[in-house]
Amino acid sequence: MIELKNVTKRFGEISALNRVSLTVNDHQIFGLIGSNGAGKSTMLRMIAGVVKADSGEVLIDGKPVFENPAVKQEICFLPDTGYFFQNATPIVMQRAYQMQFPKFDAERFAKLLAAAGLSPERRIRTFSKGMQKQLSVLLGVSAGTKYLLCDEIFDGLDPAMRQAVKSIFAREMIDRDFIPVIASHNLRELEDICDHVGLIHQGGILLSEDLDDLRYHMQKVQCVIRDPAKEERLLAGLDVMRAEHQGSLLTFIVRGTHQEIMDLVQGADPLFAESIPLTLEEIFIYETEVAGYDVKALIS
């Protein structure tokens, strides 16, 4: 289990994390999502013991991680840009990882390299960006650590390799005690792999929930209600995050379960009503908008 308890970290005048509390439980794939500069990378580095908290605690299985070599042996951190020794080959990096991680599985690494079509003797500097990203992932998986921290792991990977990485993670979780934590902007990639997601915004945690629960308690509804008074009463009685009209069609995002929301909608005597499943990307946008983050300003 990973625990952040009231953690704060500043870099000069910049507040990277502000009184953050978060738990990553065993037996789950945890997705960390957030806007640019939200604090995702800083959080991963603190969990890895690379960066020390100004205040609060970062615990791995109940033990402090910073300056604790025994705990760090169970954590492998893959940064956004992979680090490789100058002129190194995959075999050279394997030996380096074996020195850091006693459980490194050389046989597993060789099989993964062969499956990915990566030569163990080729200099890594001649690899493409995507191939280097693949190599980072294979080294991380082969390290044999309980925790694998991944910063933008899917960036630069082709669709086939992305799916392969997801399959590798699923297999590792079946075979051993393995907990990946994946920070990404690619919300669609996280949607079909993560069990639990944490949404970080401006250095704080907006939410941390099981993905199924998150979807279960947020609905997107489209309806046509003839009586304006009934429509007004309906919206007033709901926890509406956003509502807009397109002609007579009312579309709104609301907190609550599908059944309770649709029961209330039917009580307004609609001509038409339906609930539409939300994607993780839509959930992220609506939650950040509620928190005052203008997504449209970034893409307009």
Side-chain angles (χ1 to χ4, degrees), residues 244-292:
E244 58 186 10
H245 276 100
Q246 290 183 333
S248 60
L249 180 66
L250 170 65
T251 301
F252 60 93
I253 311 301
V254 59
R255 299 187 195 276
T257 66
H258 171 83
Q259 190 61 53
E260 65 185 10
I261 298 303
M262 293 309 293
D263 285 348
L264 290 171
V265 171
Q266 291 300 328
D269 192 23
L271 291 174
F272 160 81
E274 67 173 350
S275 178
I276 303 172
L278 284 164
T279 66
L280 182 56
E281 184 173 359
E282 288 176 313
I283 292 171
F284 166 72
I285 290 172
Y286 298 137
E287 288 286 0
T288 50
E289 283 182 348
V290 169

Coordinates of all heavy atoms in Angstrom, one line a residue, residues 244-292:
E244 N -27.1 22.6 -20.5 CA -27.2 23.5 -21.7 C -28.4 23.0 -22.6 O -28.7 21.8 -22.6 CB -25.9 23.5 -22.5 CG -25.4 22.1 -22.9 CD -24.1 22.1 -23.5 OE1 -23.4 23.1 -23.4 OE2 -23.7 21.1 -24.1
H245 N -28.9 24.0 -23.4 CA -30.0 23.7 -24.3 C -29.4 23.8 -25.7 O -28.6 24.6 -26.1 CB -31.1 24.7 -24.2 CG -32.1 24.4 -23.1 ND1 -32.0 25.0 -21.8 CD2 -33.1 23.5 -23.0 CE1 -33.0 24.5 -21.1 NE2 -33.7 23.6 -21.8
Q246 N -29.9 22.9 -26.6 CA -29.8 23.0 -28.0 C -31.2 22.9 -28.6 O -31.7 21.8 -28.8 CB -28.9 21.9 -28.6 CG -27.5 22.0 -28.2 CD -26.6 21.0 -28.8 OE1 -27.0 19.9 -29.1 NE2 -25.3 21.3 -29.0
G247 N -31.8 24.1 -28.8 CA -33.2 24.1 -29.1 C -34.0 23.6 -27.9 O -33.9 24.1 -26.8
S248 N -34.9 22.6 -28.2 CA -35.7 22.1 -27.1 C -35.0 20.9 -26.3 O -35.5 20.5 -25.3 CB -37.0 21.5 -27.6 OG -36.8 20.5 -28.6
L249 N -33.8 20.5 -26.8 CA -33.1 19.4 -26.2 C -32.2 19.9 -25.0 O -31.4 20.8 -25.2 CB -32.2 18.7 -27.2 CG -31.4 17.6 -26.6 CD1 -32.3 16.4 -26.2 CD2 -30.3 17.1 -27.7
L250 N -32.5 19.4 -23.8 CA -31.7 19.7 -22.6 C -30.7 18.6 -22.4 O -31.0 17.5 -22.3 CB -32.7 19.9 -21.4 CG -32.0 20.0 -20.0 CD1 -31.2 21.2 -19.9 CD2 -33.0 19.8 -18.9
T251 N -29.4 19.0 -22.2 CA -28.4 18.1 -21.9 C -27.7 18.6 -20.6 O -27.4 19.7 -20.4 CB -27.3 18.0 -23.0 OG1 -27.9 17.6 -24.2 CG2 -26.2 17.0 -22.6
F252 N -27.6 17.6 -19.6 CA -27.0 18.0 -18.3 C -26.2 16.9 -17.8 O -26.5 15.7 -18.0 CB -28.1 18.5 -17.3 CG -29.1 17.6 -17.0 CD1 -29.0 16.7 -15.8 CD2 -30.3 17.5 -17.7 CE1 -30.0 15.8 -15.5 CE2 -31.3 16.6 -17.3 CZ -31.1 15.8 -16.2
I253 N -25.2 17.3 -17.0 CA -24.3 16.4 -16.3 C -24.6 16.5 -14.8 O -24.7 17.6 -14.3 CB -22.8 16.7 -16.5 CG1 -22.5 16.9 -18.0 CG2 -21.9 15.6 -15.9 CD1 -22.8 15.7 -18.9
V254 N -24.9 15.4 -14.2 CA -25.4 15.4 -12.8 C -24.8 14.3 -12.0 O -24.4 13.2 -12.5 CB -26.9 15.2 -12.9 CG1 -27.3 13.9 -13.6 CG2 -27.6 15.3 -11.5
R255 N -24.6 14.5 -10.7 CA -24.1 13.5 -9.8 C -25.3 12.7 -9.3 O -26.4 13.3 -9.0 CB -23.4 14.2 -8.6 CG -22.2 15.0 -9.0 CD -21.5 15.4 -7.7 NE -20.5 16.4 -8.0 CZ -19.2 16.2 -8.4 NH1 -18.8 15.0 -8.6 NH2 -18.4 17.2 -8.6
G256 N -25.1 11.4 -9.2 CA -26.2 10.5 -8.7 C -26.2 9.2 -9.5 O -25.5 9.1 -10.6
T257 N -26.9 8.2 -9.1 CA -27.0 7.0 -9.8 C -28.0 7.1 -11.0 O -28.9 7.9 -11.0 CB -27.5 5.8 -8.9 OG1 -28.8 6.1 -8.5 CG2 -26.6 5.8 -7.6
H258 N -27.8 6.2 -11.9 CA -28.6 6.2 -13.1 C -30.1 6.1 -12.7 O -30.9 6.8 -13.2 CB -28.2 5.0 -14.0 CG -29.2 4.8 -15.1 ND1 -29.1 5.5 -16.3 CD2 -30.2 3.9 -15.3 CE1 -30.0 5.1 -17.1 NE2 -30.7 4.1 -16.6
Q259 N -30.5 5.1 -11.8 CA -31.8 4.9 -11.5 C -32.5 6.1 -10.9 O -33.6 6.5 -11.2 CB -32.0 3.7 -10.6 CG -33.4 3.2 -10.5 CD -34.1 2.8 -11.8 OE1 -33.5 2.0 -12.5 NE2 -35.2 3.4 -12.1
E260 N -31.8 6.7 -9.9 CA -32.4 7.8 -9.1 C -32.6 9.0 -10.0 O -33.6 9.7 -9.9 CB -31.6 8.1 -7.9 CG -30.2 8.7 -8.1 CD -29.5 8.8 -6.8 OE1 -29.9 8.4 -5.8 OE2 -28.4 9.5 -6.9
I261 N -31.6 9.2 -10.9 CA -31.7 10.4 -11.8 C -32.8 10.2 -12.8 O -33.6 11.1 -13.0 CB -30.4 10.6 -12.5 CG1 -29.2 10.9 -11.5 CG2 -30.5 11.8 -13.5 CD1 -29.5 12.1 -10.6
M262 N -32.9 9.0 -13.4 CA -33.9 8.8 -14.4 C -35.3 8.8 -13.9 O -36.3 9.2 -14.5 CB -33.6 7.5 -15.2 CG -32.3 7.6 -16.0 SD -32.2 9.1 -17.1 CE -33.6 8.7 -18.3
D263 N -35.4 8.3 -12.6 CA -36.8 8.4 -12.0 C -37.2 9.8 -11.8 O -38.4 10.2 -12.1 CB -36.7 7.7 -10.6 CG -36.6 6.2 -10.7 OD1 -36.9 5.7 -11.8 OD2 -36.3 5.6 -9.6
L264 N -36.3 10.7 -11.4 CA -36.7 12.1 -11.3 C -37.0 12.8 -12.6 O -37.9 13.6 -12.8 CB -35.5 12.9 -10.6 CG -35.3 12.5 -9.1 CD1 -34.0 13.2 -8.6 CD2 -36.5 13.0 -8.3
V265 N -36.2 12.4 -13.6 CA -36.4 12.9 -15.0 C -37.8 12.5 -15.5 O -38.6 13.3 -16.0 CB -35.3 12.5 -16.0 CG1 -35.7 12.9 -17.4 CG2 -34.0 13.1 -15.6
Q266 N -38.1 11.2 -15.3 CA -39.5 10.8 -15.7 C -40.6 11.5 -15.0 O -41.7 11.7 -15.5 CB -39.6 9.2 -15.5 CG -38.7 8.4 -16.4 CD -39.0 8.6 -17.9 OE1 -40.1 8.9 -18.3 NE2 -37.9 8.6 -18.7
G267 N -40.3 11.9 -13.8 CA -41.3 12.7 -13.0 C -41.6 14.0 -13.6 O -42.6 14.6 -13.3
A268 N -40.7 14.5 -14.5 CA -41.0 15.8 -15.1 C -41.7 15.7 -16.4 O -41.9 16.6 -17.2 CB -39.6 16.5 -15.4
D269 N -42.2 14.4 -16.7 CA -43.0 14.1 -17.9 C -42.3 14.5 -19.2 O -42.9 15.4 -20.0 CB -44.4 14.9 -17.8 CG -45.4 14.4 -18.8 OD1 -45.2 13.3 -19.3 OD2 -46.3 15.2 -19.2
P270 N -41.2 14.0 -19.5 CA -40.4 14.3 -20.7 C -41.0 13.7 -22.0 O -41.6 12.6 -21.9 CB -39.0 13.8 -20.4 CG -39.3 12.5 -19.6 CD -40.4 12.9 -18.7
L271 N -40.9 14.4 -23.1 CA -41.2 13.8 -24.3 C -40.2 12.7 -24.7 O -40.5 11.7 -25.4 CB -41.3 14.8 -25.4 CG -42.4 15.8 -25.4 CD1 -42.2 16.9 -26.4 CD2 -43.8 15.1 -25.5
F272 N -39.0 12.9 -24.3 CA -37.8 12.1 -24.6 C -36.8 12.2 -23.5 O -36.6 13.3 -23.0 CB -37.2 12.5 -26.0 CG -35.8 12.0 -26.2 CD1 -35.6 10.7 -26.6 CD2 -34.8 12.8 -25.9 CE1 -34.3 10.2 -26.8 CE2 -33.5 12.4 -26.1 CZ -33.2 11.1 -26.6
A273 N -36.2 11.0 -23.1 CA -35.1 11.1 -22.1 C -34.2 9.9 -22.3 O -34.7 8.7 -22.5 CB -35.8 11.1 -20.7
E274 N -32.9 10.1 -22.1 CA -32.0 9.0 -22.2 C -30.7 9.4 -21.4 O -30.4 10.5 -21.2 CB -31.6 8.6 -23.6 CG -30.8 9.7 -24.3 CD -30.3 9.2 -25.7 OE1 -30.4 8.0 -26.0 OE2 -29.7 10.0 -26.4
S275 N -30.1 8.4 -20.8 CA -28.8 8.5 -20.1 C -27.7 8.0 -21.0 O -27.8 6.9 -21.5 CB -28.8 7.8 -18.8 OG -27.6 7.9 -18.1
I276 N -26.6 8.8 -21.1 CA -25.5 8.4 -22.0 C -24.3 8.2 -21.2 O -23.9 9.0 -20.3 CB -25.2 9.6 -23.0 CG1 -26.5 9.9 -23.8 CG2 -24.0 9.2 -23.9 CD1 -26.3 11.1 -24.7
P277 N -23.6 7.0 -21.4 CA -22.4 6.7 -20.6 C -21.3 7.8 -20.8 O -21.1 8.3 -21.9 CB -21.9 5.4 -21.1 CG -23.1 4.8 -21.8 CD -23.9 5.9 -22.3
L278 N -20.6 8.2 -19.7 CA -19.5 9.1 -19.7 C -18.2 8.4 -19.9 O -17.9 7.4 -19.3 CB -19.5 10.0 -18.4 CG -20.6 11.0 -18.3 CD1 -20.7 11.5 -16.8 CD2 -20.3 12.2 -19.2
T279 N -17.3 9.0 -20.7 CA -16.0 8.6 -20.8 C -15.1 9.2 -19.6 O -15.6 10.2 -19.0 CB -15.3 9.0 -22.1 OG1 -15.2 10.4 -22.2 CG2 -16.1 8.5 -23.3
L280 N -14.0 8.6 -19.4 CA -13.1 9.1 -18.3 C -12.7 10.5 -18.7 O -12.5 11.4 -17.8 CB -11.9 8.2 -18.2 CG -10.9 8.6 -17.1 CD1 -11.5 8.7 -15.7 CD2 -9.7 7.6 -17.0
E281 N -12.5 10.8 -20.0 CA -12.1 12.1 -20.4 C -13.2 13.1 -20.1 O -12.9 14.3 -19.6 CB -11.8 12.1 -21.9 CG -11.3 13.4 -22.4 CD -10.8 13.4 -23.9 OE1 -10.9 12.3 -24.5 OE2 -10.4 14.4 -24.4
E282 N -14.4 12.8 -20.3 CA -15.5 13.7 -20.0 C -15.6 13.9 -18.5 O -15.8 15.1 -18.0 CB -16.8 13.1 -20.5 CG -17.0 13.2 -22.0 CD -18.2 12.5 -22.5 OE1 -18.5 11.4 -22.0 OE2 -19.0 13.1 -23.3
I283 N -15.4 12.9 -17.7 CA -15.5 13.0 -16.2 C -14.4 14.0 -15.8 O -14.6 14.9 -14.9 CB -15.3 11.6 -15.6 CG1 -16.5 10.8 -15.8 CG2 -15.1 11.8 -14.1 CD1 -16.4 9.3 -15.4
F284 N -13.2 13.8 -16.3 CA -12.0 14.7 -16.0 C -12.4 16.2 -16.3 O -12.2 17.1 -15.5 CB -10.8 14.3 -16.8 CG -9.7 15.3 -16.8 CD1 -8.9 15.5 -15.7 CD2 -9.4 16.0 -18.0 CE1 -7.9 16.5 -15.7 CE2 -8.4 16.9 -18.0 CZ -7.7 17.2 -16.8
I285 N -13.0 16.4 -17.5 CA -13.3 17.8 -17.9 C -14.3 18.4 -17.0 O -14.2 19.5 -16.5 CB -13.8 17.8 -19.4 CG1 -12.6 17.5 -20.3 CG2 -14.4 19.1 -19.7 CD1 -13.1 17.3 -21.8
Y286 N -15.4 17.6 -16.7 CA -16.4 18.2 -15.8 C -16.0 18.4 -14.4 O -16.3 19.4 -13.8 CB -17.7 17.3 -15.9 CG -18.3 17.1 -17.2 CD1 -18.7 15.9 -17.7 CD2 -18.4 18.2 -18.1 CE1 -19.2 15.7 -19.0 CE2 -18.9 18.0 -19.4 CZ -19.3 16.8 -19.8 OH -19.8 16.6 -21.1
E287 N -15.2 17.5 -13.9 CA -14.7 17.7 -12.5 C -13.7 18.9 -12.4 O -13.8 19.7 -11.4 CB -13.9 16.4 -12.0 CG -14.9 15.2 -11.7 CD -15.6 15.4 -10.5 OE1 -15.5 16.4 -9.8 OE2 -16.4 14.5 -10.1
T288 N -12.9 19.1 -13.4 CA -12.0 20.2 -13.4 C -12.7 21.5 -13.6 O -12.3 22.6 -13.0 CB -10.8 20.1 -14.4 OG1 -11.4 19.7 -15.7 CG2 -9.9 19.0 -14.0
E289 N -13.7 21.5 -14.4 CA -14.5 22.7 -14.6 C -15.2 23.1 -13.3 O -15.2 24.3 -12.9 CB -15.6 22.5 -15.7 CG -15.0 22.5 -17.1 CD -16.1 22.4 -18.1 OE1 -17.2 22.0 -17.7 OE2 -15.8 22.6 -19.3
V290 N -15.7 22.2 -12.5 CA -16.3 22.5 -11.2 C -15.3 23.1 -10.3 O -15.6 24.0 -9.5 CB -16.9 21.2 -10.6 CG1 -17.3 21.5 -9.2 CG2 -18.1 20.8 -11.4
A291 N -14.0 22.7 -10.4 CA -13.0 23.2 -9.6 C -12.4 24.5 -10.1 O -11.5 25.1 -9.5 CB -11.8 22.2 -9.5
G292 N -13.0 25.0 -11.2 CA -12.5 26.3 -11.7 C -11.5 26.3 -12.7 O -10.9 27.3 -13.1

